[in-house]
Amino acid sequence: MAALVEDAAKTSHVERKTNKKPVKRYWEETEELKNSDQNTSDRSLSTEKTADRCTSTESTADGSTSTENTANRSTSTENTGSVKRRKGGQIPSGKKDPFPGEAPIPEEQLQKYQRGSKHNVPKGSQRKLKEAIAWSEKVSELAQKQAARYDLLLPEDAGFLEGDEDEDTCRISQEDIADAVDITSGSKFFNLHLSQFGPYRLDYSRTGRHLLLSGKRGHVACIEWQSKNLTCEMNVMETVNDIKWLHTEAMFAVAQKKWLYIYDSEGIELHCVKKFNDVLKMQFLPYHFLLATASATGFLQYLDVSVGKEIAAICTKAGRLDVMSQNPYNAVIHLGHSNGTVSLWSPNQKEPLVKMLCHRGAVRSLTVDKTGTYMVTSGLDRKLKVYDIRAFKPLHSYFLPAGASYLSLSQKGLLSAATGDIVQVYQNVWGGSPVTKPYMAHRVRGQVWGLAYCPFEDVLGVGHGEGFTSMIVPGAGEPNFDALDTNPYRSAKQRQEWEVKALLEKVQPELIGLDPGQLGKVDQGSFEQRHKERVDILGYDPLAKEKFKPKSKKKGRSSAGAIEKRKRKVAYEDQRDVIRLNVEEKMKQQKEKSSESQQLGKKSTLDRFRKQDK
Amino acid sequence: MAVSAEKEFAMDNEVISASEDEEGSDNERKHNKLLQAISSLGGKRRKNQTERSEASLQVSEFFVSAEGAGDKVGLSDLLGTVEKTTGATKTKKQLRNLQNRNETLELPLNKEQTEKIQRSVAYEKSAKEVTNWQSIVIQNQKAEQLVFPLNQEPSGPKRVEQVVAGWKAETALEQEIFRLLHMNKQPVLDPVLTAVEEASLMAMSLEEATIRRAELQKARALHSYYEAKAKREKKIKSKKYHRIQKKAKRKEFLKQFEERMTTDPTGALEDLKKMEMSRMEERMSLKHQNSGKWAKSKAIMAKYDDSARKAMQEQLQINKDLTQKIVTVSDDEHETPEESETVPDFVNEVEPITDSVNPWMRSRIPQEEPEISCITPDKPQTSEEEEEEEKEEKNEEEELLAEFQRRRTLRQTEDDDLIPTAAEEQIVNTCEVSREEVVGEGTVEISDSDENDSEEEEEEDVSQFNTLFKLMSSEKTHESPAPTQDQQEDEEQLDEGQLRVRNMEDLEGLEVSDPRPGTAAPLSMPQPTASEPTAKKSKREIDLSEVLTKEAKTIKVAMTPTVVEDEEHEEQISIIKEAFAGDDVISDFLIDKRKQEEAGRPKVVDLTLPGWGEWGGVGVKPSQHKRKRFRKKMAPPPSRKDQKLPDVIISEKRNSSIATHQVSHLPFPFQNSTQFESCIRTPVGQSWNTQTAVKKMTMPKVVTKAGAIIEPLVKEDYIKHKSTKPAGKGPAILLNDKRGAKDGKPSHKNKGRDSQKRRRNKP
């Protein structure tokens, strides 16, 4: 039978004793102790936050976090205390510390937080340069180590579904799973029968608490889906093509028959954006506050929702655009076209950044994974392809007998594909070995029209002709959430606070490009240009390495020969080390060879009877 | 003074004369004035004595003029009275000394000079003072953070020892514990000795130190004497002296060397090496050639002067000696000729190929088995290889030279291939041999770099060349009789020269000149030629079969879709589309890609100006030759990013929008962009780091406390820091005795003081 490990594991560390302090030492001053106590508690609060923050988006699949947070805090205080004690040097009794120094950090964790490669200080450079490089190296190492060290504050693991022997996990029905798990998790499998207003699209908010549903025939509903609390419901009396949450759950955009509308969570129409017409698909870029829309007229438009301005309108010249996805890593929009190509767009360029031919037929759906490494596409040729979009190379190609009309990737990399009225979930699509059978499968009542995973939950929402189905997919959601970025349990106050901060940290649309690290690079073009101009003005290259010019000496020491000698002293100084090593190696080899040959030469037939001296 | 006095005097006179009103005296006064004025013109003022020239009623006490008033007051005048008085012997003596002394004091320097000197002295002094601060300044510059006011207590947690220092065991339990600790000789406060203390513990005793110091002093003195002597000798300008000196030295050295030859052969060898070295140096310096000044003068004189001629000859002899290499008789030399006798020449056939640029030279060609067997059937292979290597090392230079020679001859013979000569035959042989070598591998390797360059012609050449080789190799297999020994030797001499085919004609010439055309040759020829060019061509253009060829794996679905899809109109359309999709999608894409590539390529610029150098006007076109000449081909752009991805088009447009946000200037200490980029690679923000890391990263360079007065650095705190130690921080254990031993003299004082104190304390 099915076993849900994840839910069982969670109950274990819900309750734990809080605030365990290190034992008081007799030499510690009482005042200081007070201060340090305050400090540590403060620090623990902050560290918890940052630890969550630095791993970006983590959380559990059920609602026991408030207690968990305190548990985390207690562990962190313990940890810092122990570190300090170790730092304190010798213990007055003179006894040796059996574990001297800092606690070691596992290499894997360090690797996880590695940012770029280390840069060595160049030989013979100026003091200031040396200091600058050394300082930055030191600091980045510290940052990496600390991030790795606080990784242990992310205690949750993703769950998974395990079948019995000779049992396919895809045969396990949703009802069985819902029966097996606890009640709160079980309640996450439900159906909404909405047969009146036609196939449904859906969208989850970034925190995963709110759900938007839009029927093709104008039904728009906004639900707090875990409590099944309906916040608003209306009929816009028009065809609805797509629906999307904006940055918070207070506003959402609806692409209706003609224009783009924006409503608030009460269902009050805030805007009708007439610059955006015939929108078929939408994507919201949360860190840029951009709403990207793809229209039937072939226009890709960007709306900055923080200032309400159209940032860019690009004519793609590729006909009707009804396949759209975003790359969460670099905020590049992917569009699928009827000629089998997928094009990548940024608002800064009127032509596609990349255009790749993926299918022989039209592209039906595409999705990009969270890390921006993989893209999965499906086409009319009934193929499902996995691409590495860093190298733009196909990794796997699968043939689905029915073809996939909708695709979606979860935070943990589970792929769901809708074929007709069946939703299939695949595990490990870009792994080394190709997938042969789905991880899970579920049949819904009508033709699937929308697919989306709920963030931080093991839930897949399916919109179809007969309503909406929420199904449980163990291991889909990220178990640890980043409380400063997307906190599912945030209060209204926290949300307000977050909104202000997010607006302050808004990323400008000019920074969207294939490589998000471009900002950290020197603008080579203008740098070179400027350098050239400078060289022209000065008449020499100030950055060039100075050629050695021997001093002129007196008393006949500046003869040609002497100068040559002095020059030779510094010639090839940069290569000398390498050359010396090479020569040494060669000499060693030669010696070995000669010794071998000597041994060989000395050997006679009687040697075998000689005593071996070893 | 004198003048003013005179005036006053005159005034007085006037007062008197006013009553008397004498005109004659008035005239006299005027005369006097004139005289005075004249005398004042002369520069030096004569000292006028105040004297009364006439009688008056009132005698002022200020104008007393005694007898001899104009004379100097002599010292003797003073002394006269002093002599009589008793006491004050000291002053008497001094005065007497003064009297006896005849020297006059020198004039003090004038103001400017004194000021200059003062300034320079002051500068030196203050410069010295300022340099004392240097280290502190650098330290502050280097410091990660400076907190003002400076001498604050560090706010962080204190070390245990520091805290404990001011603490006393008071309760009974604590005292008990400490007694126990003391009994076990546990260090209570600062258990670890610092490195300095450790060193001081290890230091030597006072006697040793004095002995050592004396030794050092002596050595230094000797050294200075020697230096002085050397300097003196060096200053001697006589050339003859130096020459003699040098000769003597050389003789001495030789003598020593001979002595050493018998006693210490290894040392002698070293000496020999030294000699060789000096010889080499001299040789390099070109000293003994006829180019020197002296030599030239001698050359002129040589005609007439016998001695000059002799000197010249000597010089030449020296030159000859120097330039001749000393033949050192070593063991290696003995061995090699023997080896060269035993080892057949073919071992060296495959020469060490150093030319990395030339791909033809790169592949190391394996030897054919049968040849080896026919010449040296008895030699074991391993030894051969070793010897080969050895040989390579030794004769590399000679071989290279020989090879060049051979190539030259080869080229010459190739050029005049109309006349078939013996040399020609040899070439053919070489061809055969090299072809044999090629057979082993099948094809000649072409380096990657060449591929990248890939000009069409070259590639064609290469492919044809390959086929030719293959063809020839097939000939060889049909060739039955083994060549005679002589022939083979000829081959061996030649075969090292790799054939260099410069153009197709050369190749054809080779083919024609082959005296023994193979019968089966044409059979094997067509296959490779047919296949290779196509392969090359297909590389350049995208092959249709390459696009979208990823093998698809079918996935078995647990449930089959049951929904009838024909309800949906769109689906039907899509199915129709699917039927017709496929090939045209790919070709469209490829056309699109080609267009993009074309657009990215720079165009040829036509710079022809009509009418220059020829007739111009309506309807006259510039000549073909001219147009050809003035068409400028632009440099090809760097290869596209999607060059190796057939089904991807990557836009080559530069994203200029991000440039406004990027750094365009390298900030100060950085010398290249990689350094700077590596320095900013770690994000600073709170979103990516822990709190402590953020604090550390954004730490301000200078921190000041609000309201606190920041006072300038106090010199005593920093510069004399070494001598005085802060009281609190020192280790509690007294190490004075040992430290004293190291310091030497002061320690005695300390000891003395200590003991005195103790003594005082005792009673």
Side-chain angles (χ1 to χ4, degrees):
Chain A
M1 252 319 291
L4 267 182
V5 176
E6 74 165 325
D7 291 300
K10 264 157 217 159
T11 49
S12 63
H13 47 250
V14 169
E15 300 257 32
R16 197 181 279 179
K17 209 184 160 193
T18 55
N19 277 338
K20 195 185 172 189
K21 280 172 202 161
V23 186
K24 273 187 191 177
R25 303 280 162 182
Y26 62 86
W27 59 76
E28 270 175 354
E29 288 164 10
T30 48
E31 258 188 26
E32 210 181 21
L33 204 146
K34 267 182 206 164
N35 287 335
S36 68
D37 203 1
Q38 270 180 7
N39 285 339
T40 47
S41 60
D42 285 349
R43 204 177 301 145
S44 72
L45 263 172
S46 57
T47 49
E48 179 215 340
K49 274 182 187 173
T50 46
D52 281 341
R53 188 99 182 144
C54 57
T55 47
S56 72
T57 65
E58 330 290 308
S59 126
T60 57
D62 62 348
S64 61
T65 42
S66 57
T67 43
E68 249 166 62
N69 280 351
T70 53
N72 284 349
R73 198 173 305 158
S74 72
T75 52
S76 72
T77 39
E78 275 179 333
N79 189 39
T80 48
S82 64
V83 167
K84 230 180 209 171
R85 225 177 302 143
R86 275 173 202 137
K87 268 186 187 169
Q90 292 288 321
I91 298 164
S93 68
K95 206 176 173 188
K96 255 197 177 177
D97 186 358
F99 307 106
E102 288 185 324
I105 308 164
E107 196 62 31
E108 252 178 57
Q109 282 177 17
L110 275 181
Q111 206 71 39
K112 193 170 152 193
Y113 295 102
Q114 174 96 37
R115 287 180 204 282
S117 56
K118 213 177 163 187
H119 193 269
N120 288 328
V121 183
K123 229 179 183 183
S125 51
Q126 300 161 353
R127 176 172 67 85
K128 292 225 163 154
L129 175 63
K130 264 184 204 165
E131 277 166 27
I133 292 175
W135 164 252
S136 86
E137 286 305 328
K138 188 181 149 199
V139 160
S140 53
E141 200 182 84
L142 174 90
Q144 183 195 357
K145 267 189 182 169
Q146 288 212 326
R149 207 178 272 290
Y150 290 140
D151 210 12
L152 92 175
L153 298 182
L154 309 171
E156 306 300 336
D157 285 326
F160 53 89
L161 192 63
E162 204 174 45
D164 291 341
E165 278 174 39
D166 307 327
E167 191 186 26
D168 252 345
T169 47
C170 63
R171 299 253 176 227
I172 300 167
S173 72
Q174 283 292 313
E175 286 81 8
D176 289 342
I177 295 173
D179 282 343
V181 297
D182 58 320
I183 301 170
T184 39
S185 299
S187 70
K188 285 170 188 169
F189 167 65
F190 62 91
N191 282 303
L192 298 177
H193 300 285
L194 307 161
S195 51
Q196 217 178 338
F197 296 108
Y200 277 85
R201 286 252 155 85
L202 74 153
D203 186 39
Y204 284 104
S205 67
R206 281 190 73 220
T207 54
R209 302 288 285 189
H210 297 263
L211 171 69
L212 267 181
L213 285 175
S214 71
K216 181 137 199 192
R217 299 185 185 114
H219 179 213
V220 172
C222 182
I223 310 163
E224 217 173 298
W225 68 274
Q226 278 174 337
S227 58
K228 316 283 191 307
N229 183 16
L230 189 66
T231 45
C232 90
E233 189 177 21
M234 59 176 168
N235 199 318
V236 296
M237 310 300 282
E238 241 182 348
T239 316
V240 173
N241 289 324
D242 200 6
I243 196 162
K244 227 35 202 201
W245 282 112
L246 297 188
H247 56 285
T248 62
E249 45 271 11
M251 280 191 282
F252 58 89
V254 182
Q256 295 180 18
K257 188 183 175 190
K258 194 68 184 160
W259 316 121
L260 174 74
Y261 288 82
I262 291 174
Y263 298 91
D264 79 346
S265 56
E266 306 286 305
I268 299 163
E269 181 186 321
L270 297 177
H271 300 287
C272 168
V273 192
K274 294 205 172 172
K275 261 193 173 175
F276 291 67
N277 55 336
D278 302 314
V279 174
L280 291 179
K281 279 274 186 180
M282 293 189 289
Q283 283 292 334
F284 185 71
L285 310 174
Y287 296 103
H288 302 77
F289 288 84
L290 288 181
L291 183 72
T293 63
S295 69
T297 53
F299 269 88
L300 172 68
Q301 286 166 295
Y302 287 85
L303 175 72
D304 190 332
V305 297
S306 64
V307 291
K309 228 168 68 179
E310 189 191 39
I311 294 296
I314 305 162
C315 181
T316 59
K317 296 171 196 158
R320 195 179 152 87
L321 303 172
D322 54 353
V323 181
M324 186 189 201
S325 174
Q326 66 160 307
N327 185 343
Y329 171 65
N330 52 15
V332 165
I333 293 292
H334 293 226
L335 294 176
H337 305 293
S338 57
N339 59 355
T341 57
V342 170
S343 52
L344 277 60
W345 299 86
S346 88
N348 307 313
Q349 205 165 315
K350 294 287 176 201
E351 63 175 23
L353 301 173
V354 177
K355 203 169 169 189
M356 46 202 296
L357 183 61
C358 295
H359 292 278
R360 282 171 187 263
V363 178
R364 288 180 84 185
S365 178
L366 68 98
T367 178
V368 184
D369 92 304
K370 194 181 81 178
T371 59
T373 317
Y374 304 104
M375 175 176 78
V376 185
T377 63
S378 71
L380 270 184
D381 55 356
R382 294 192 236 155
K383 274 180 184 162
L384 182 84
K385 293 198 173 182
V386 184
Y387 278 87
D388 182 348
I389 39 172
R390 291 174 301 180
F392 306 110
K393 276 178 182 166
L395 289 176
H396 295 292
S397 174
Y398 305 108
F399 185 77
L400 288 174
S405 55
Y406 289 95
L407 294 173
S408 178
L409 273 168
S410 84
Q411 286 175 323
K412 275 291 180 185
L414 295 185
L415 174 73
S416 63
T419 59
D421 63 343
I422 294 168
V423 179
Q424 298 164 24
V425 180
Y426 296 97
Q427 212 176 15
N428 222 358
V429 201
W430 43 74
S433 56
V435 176
T436 51
K437 61 180 183 181
Y439 169 58
M440 287 178 79
H442 182 62
R443 171 167 287 161
V444 291
R445 290 166 164 232
Q447 180 78 18
V448 175
W449 196 249
L451 263 187
Y453 278 100
C454 181
F456 310 117
E457 298 284 353
D458 291 345
V459 165
L460 171 66
V462 185
H464 48 81
E466 298 295 311
F468 169 79
T469 301
S470 167
M471 57 183 276
I472 299 171
V473 182
E478 177 70 53
N480 299 302
F481 62 89
D482 180 353
L484 292 183
D485 186 33
T486 46
N487 186 356
Y489 308 105
R490 69 187 172 195
S491 60
K493 194 83 195 158
Q494 277 176 324
R495 202 207 69 218
Q496 288 165 7
E497 194 87 348
W498 168 85
E499 196 171 352
V500 172
K501 275 182 187 155
L503 276 168
L504 287 174
E505 286 174 359
K506 181 188 147 188
V507 184
Q508 290 304 313
E510 289 92 67
L511 301 183
I512 298 177
L514 276 180
D515 179 15
Q518 195 64 37
L519 185 63
K521 300 220 164 77
V522 175
D523 181 17
Q524 280 299 339
S526 68
F527 172 68
E528 270 161 23
Q529 180 71 26
R530 208 159 292 163
H531 182 68
K532 211 186 247 173
E533 280 166 16
R534 200 169 157 215
V535 169
D536 282 346
I537 289 166
L538 292 175
Y540 69 96
D541 188 357
L543 294 182
K545 209 184 155 194
E546 235 174 80
K547 210 179 165 189
F548 175 70
K549 213 175 174 186
K551 260 187 206 166
S552 68
K553 289 185 177 176
K554 286 181 178 166
K555 291 192 181 172
R557 279 176 207 149
S558 230
S559 67
I563 284 177
E564 202 54 43
K565 245 186 215 168
R566 266 185 281 154
K567 270 187 190 170
R568 217 169 297 147
K569 268 181 205 165
V570 294
Y572 307 114
E573 219 162 30
D574 44 346
Q575 300 170 18
R576 270 183 188 176
D577 286 339
V578 183
I579 292 169
R580 195 175 299 136
L581 279 179
N582 277 347
V583 168
E584 271 173 16
E585 228 165 71
K586 244 183 212 171
M587 292 287 276
K588 219 181 240 174
Q589 281 177 358
Q590 265 187 359
K591 249 184 198 172
E592 276 175 19
K593 211 174 266 174
S594 63
S595 64
E596 269 177 29
S597 62
Q598 271 184 356
Q599 280 176 353
L600 279 175
K602 275 176 190 170
K603 247 184 186 173
S604 70
T605 45
L606 294 174
D607 271 345
R608 67 186 74 167
F609 303 112
R610 192 170 284 164
K611 254 189 194 174
Q612 290 197 346
D613 39 16
K614 265 190 181 177
Chain B
M1 274 294 280
V3 176
S4 62
E6 192 67 39
K7 269 185 184 172
E8 263 178 80
F9 187 54
M11 289 259 284
D12 273 358
N13 277 353
E14 266 182 4
V15 171
I16 295 159
S17 64
S19 59
E20 289 178 352
D21 216 355
E22 282 182 342
E23 286 188 351
S25 65
D26 211 38
N27 270 342
E28 212 170 277
R29 217 179 305 137
K30 273 179 187 169
H31 179 70
N32 266 343
K33 261 188 188 173
L34 187 70
L35 281 178
Q36 271 174 16
I38 290 164
S39 70
S40 69
L41 281 176
K44 273 189 178 174
R45 289 169 198 160
R46 206 164 283 156
K47 213 175 182 182
N48 279 358
Q49 285 138 24
T50 52
E51 61 180 340
R52 282 167 64 185
S53 54
E54 61 189 64
S56 66
L57 293 174
Q58 291 174 329
V59 178
S60 167
E61 56 182 274
F62 299 114
F63 294 108
V64 176
S65 57
E67 187 200 351
D71 291 349
K72 275 182 187 171
V73 179
L75 197 59
S76 53
D77 298 340
L78 296 172
L79 277 176
T81 53
V82 170
E83 289 289 325
K84 286 158 195 168
T85 55
T86 53
T89 48
K90 210 176 187 183
T91 42
K92 265 187 221 165
K93 222 178 197 176
Q94 278 176 347
L95 284 169
R96 227 172 280 147
N97 275 345
L98 259 177
Q99 200 180 14
N100 290 342
R101 200 155 58 181
N102 293 324
E103 292 170 15
T104 51
L105 285 174
E106 271 184 50
L107 269 177
L109 282 174
N110 56 0
K111 202 177 161 195
E112 286 80 24
Q113 273 178 328
T114 49
E115 275 178 354
K116 200 175 170 186
I117 290 166
Q118 276 169 359
R119 260 181 283 145
S120 70
V121 170
Y123 169 75
E124 266 171 31
K125 206 175 164 189
S126 50
K128 205 176 171 189
E129 221 162 81
V130 166
T131 47
N132 282 340
W133 289 95
Q134 192 71 29
S135 63
I136 292 156
V137 168
I138 288 174
Q139 209 178 330
N140 282 355
Q141 279 173 353
K142 273 185 180 176
E144 287 167 6
Q145 190 175 41
L146 285 176
V147 182
F148 290 107
L150 271 175
N151 37 12
Q152 265 182 332
E153 284 277 297
S155 62
K158 285 175 183 169
R159 289 186 64 193
V160 179
E161 291 79 32
Q162 291 171 25
V163 180
V164 172
W167 179 84
K168 275 177 188 171
E170 280 169 354
T171 63
L173 176 69
E174 283 166 354
Q175 278 166 352
E176 183 87 350
I177 290 168
F178 272 79
R179 221 191 36 245
L180 268 175
L181 285 175
H182 280 298
M183 260 169 40
N184 293 331
K185 289 187 180 174
Q186 285 278 6
V188 185
L189 300 178
D190 197 352
V192 204
L193 293 176
T194 60
V196 181
E197 288 157 2
E198 208 109 44
S200 68
L201 281 175
M202 300 288 286
M204 49 188 133
S205 70
L206 186 64
E207 290 83 43
E208 273 179 54
T210 48
I211 290 165
R212 173 99 185 109
R213 190 156 160 248
E215 271 175 13
L216 278 176
Q217 258 175 347
K218 197 179 176 187
R220 224 174 292 140
L222 281 175
H223 192 245
S224 72
Y225 296 154
Y226 181 77
E227 261 184 359
K229 194 184 170 193
K231 224 178 235 176
R232 204 174 54 240
E233 275 176 359
K234 205 189 162 196
K235 262 191 184 169
I236 296 170
K237 279 183 182 167
S238 159
K239 276 185 184 172
K240 201 172 183 184
Y241 169 78
H242 279 295
R243 207 178 298 142
I244 290 166
Q245 199 83 339
K246 222 185 252 176
K247 257 184 198 167
K249 258 184 200 168
R250 202 179 295 153
K251 259 181 198 169
E252 184 84 342
F253 185 75
L254 277 175
K255 217 185 231 172
Q256 274 184 0
F257 175 65
E258 265 164 30
E259 260 177 39
R260 264 190 149 173
M261 282 270 267
T262 53
T263 56
D264 177 17
T266 53
L269 253 179
E270 225 139 80
D271 275 356
L272 201 67
K273 259 182 201 166
K274 245 186 231 165
M275 275 158 77
E276 175 72 7
M277 202 60 193
S278 68
R279 186 195 65 81
M280 260 151 60
E281 267 165 15
E282 241 180 46
R283 195 180 157 198
M284 259 162 41
S285 69
L286 307 177
K287 240 182 195 170
H288 294 280
Q289 272 175 346
N290 280 345
S291 52
K293 210 194 219 171
W294 175 84
K296 272 173 192 166
S297 68
K298 286 286 166 196
I300 294 164
M301 291 293 289
K303 227 179 207 179
Y304 317 103
D305 196 356
D306 232 17
S307 63
R309 204 178 300 154
K310 238 179 203 173
M312 271 284 286
Q313 273 167 358
E314 259 174 44
Q315 170 91 351
L316 280 176
Q317 188 58 41
I318 290 169
N319 183 31
K320 227 179 239 175
D321 288 348
L322 282 175
T323 46
Q324 212 167 33
K325 192 171 182 185
I326 294 171
V327 185
T328 48
V329 185
S330 65
D331 302 334
D332 300 5
E333 286 280 310
H334 275 300
E335 282 177 32
T336 39
E338 285 170 26
E339 278 177 350
S340 64
E341 281 171 17
T342 54
V343 177
D345 287 12
F346 72 85
V347 174
N348 286 331
E349 270 174 5
V350 184
E351 79 258 5
I353 292 149
T354 48
D355 192 356
S356 61
V357 183
N358 192 349
W360 299 95
M361 307 288 283
R362 200 181 287 172
S363 59
R364 211 193 157 95
I365 301 152
Q367 269 301 325
E368 280 277 292
E369 189 61 37
E371 261 202 338
I372 296 167
S373 60
C374 72
I375 297 164
T376 54
D378 50 342
K379 264 271 169 185
Q381 196 134 18
T382 50
S383 63
E384 273 175 16
E385 278 169 340
E386 272 176 37
E387 281 156 4
E388 181 188 354
E389 276 164 6
E390 279 178 16
K391 266 242 149 187
E392 268 173 23
E393 280 157 18
K394 275 165 201 160
N395 303 346
E396 230 168 10
E397 271 191 339
E398 292 165 34
E399 275 175 24
L400 270 174
L401 281 175
E403 190 200 323
F404 282 133
Q405 185 69 30
R406 261 174 247 135
R407 278 185 191 168
R408 211 173 298 142
T409 54
L410 252 180
R411 246 175 259 156
Q412 281 168 2
T413 47
E414 275 171 13
D415 286 341
D416 50 21
D417 56 355
L418 291 171
I419 314 147
T421 54
E424 189 90 7
E425 272 192 17
Q426 282 179 347
I427 301 157
V428 175
N429 285 341
T430 59
C431 272
E432 282 169 13
V433 173
S434 53
R435 157 227 326 147
E436 273 177 352
E437 291 159 358
V438 168
V439 169
E441 295 180 356
T443 52
V444 176
E445 281 182 15
I446 306 160
S447 71
D448 296 335
S449 58
D450 250 21
E451 273 185 2
N452 287 342
D453 297 342
S454 75
E455 286 168 38
E456 275 188 308
E457 294 171 6
E458 270 186 28
E459 270 184 301
E460 276 173 14
D461 272 6
V462 168
S463 59
Q464 289 200 13
F465 194 35
N466 273 348
T467 53
L468 237 157
F469 267 132
K470 277 180 187 163
L471 162 85
M472 288 195 208
S473 67
S474 62
E475 285 171 25
K476 172 74 185 183
T477 49
H478 287 271
E479 216 173 17
S480 51
T484 60
Q485 193 69 25
D486 296 330
Q487 266 182 334
Q488 272 199 347
E489 273 176 7
D490 281 355
E491 271 177 25
E492 283 144 23
Q493 279 177 351
L494 278 166
D495 55 8
E496 284 174 35
Q498 294 269 352
L499 249 189
R500 177 175 284 184
V501 181
R502 279 163 301 171
N503 47 28
M504 286 312 292
E505 284 128 67
D506 285 3
L507 263 175
E508 280 161 16
L510 276 176
E511 203 177 5
V512 166
S513 62
D514 198 337
R516 293 157 288 185
T519 48
L523 288 176
S524 61
M525 186 165 172
Q527 300 166 333
T529 40
S531 66
E532 272 184 59
T534 52
K536 289 272 148 62
K537 277 215 177 128
S538 65
K539 257 189 193 173
R540 201 155 303 126
E541 284 178 25
I542 296 158
D543 189 10
L544 279 179
S545 57
E546 250 181 77
V547 182
L548 293 178
T549 48
K550 193 93 185 158
E551 228 177 271
K553 266 152 201 135
T554 47
I555 299 173
K556 287 166 197 164
V557 187
M559 292 169 247
T560 48
T562 52
V563 167
V564 188
E565 288 188 357
D566 53 13
E567 283 176 8
E568 308 227 357
H569 185 62
E570 273 187 20
E571 286 291 311
Q572 259 190 339
I573 295 170
S574 69
I575 288 163
I576 294 166
K577 263 190 190 168
E578 189 186 338
F580 291 100
D583 42 6
D584 70 318
V585 165
I586 293 170
S587 57
D588 282 354
F589 185 83
L590 290 184
I591 288 165
D592 194 10
K593 178 161 184 173
R594 206 162 298 142
K595 258 187 207 163
Q596 290 257 345
E597 277 173 4
E598 289 289 314
R601 225 167 268 153
K603 276 145 199 130
V604 175
V605 183
D606 195 357
L607 290 173
T608 40
L609 283 174
W612 279 89
E614 60 192 7
W615 288 106
V618 183
V620 179
K621 272 189 180 175
S623 69
Q624 188 68 33
H625 168 70
K626 196 178 167 190
R627 253 187 291 167
K628 209 175 183 182
R629 213 181 132 196
F630 285 102
R631 284 183 117 194
K632 282 266 153 101
K633 260 191 189 176
M634 303 313 275
S639 61
R640 287 177 66 92
K641 279 180 259 174
D642 54 10
Q643 202 181 23
K644 283 173 183 173
L645 301 164
D647 46 3
V648 177
I649 304 170
I650 299 173
S651 164
E652 294 280 328
K653 257 191 190 169
R654 194 169 147 264
N655 182 10
S656 56
S657 64
I658 201 172
T660 54
H661 298 276
Q662 276 178 321
V663 175
S664 54
H665 282 285
L666 265 189
F668 157 57
F670 300 104
Q671 283 168 339
N672 57 40
S673 49
T674 49
Q675 286 168 2
F676 177 62
E677 280 160 16
S678 82
C679 274
I680 59 168
R681 71 172 198 268
T682 311
V684 181
Q686 275 192 323
S687 316
W688 298 275
N689 292 306
T690 58
Q691 192 70 20
T692 41
V694 171
K695 271 193 179 163
K696 179 107 185 178
M697 282 166 158
T698 57
M699 194 170 68
K701 186 93 177 146
V702 175
V703 175
T704 54
K705 200 177 170 189
I709 299 166
I710 300 169
E711 287 185 3
L713 298 179
V714 184
K715 195 179 169 190
E716 280 70 37
D717 288 358
Y718 293 92
I719 289 168
K720 285 181 180 171
H721 190 73
K722 291 155 205 163
S723 56
T724 57
K725 283 213 166 165
K729 287 185 182 179
I733 295 174
L734 290 175
L735 295 164
N736 281 346
D737 304 8
K738 287 137 195 171
R739 217 175 282 153
K742 189 194 164 195
D743 287 348
K745 272 189 180 177
S747 71
H748 286 292
K749 275 183 189 171
N750 283 339
K751 263 184 187 173
R753 268 178 211 163
D754 285 351
S755 55
Q756 275 173 6
K757 272 179 195 170
R758 267 172 223 154
R759 259 175 244 148
R760 270 175 214 162
N761 288 339
K762 268 177 190 172

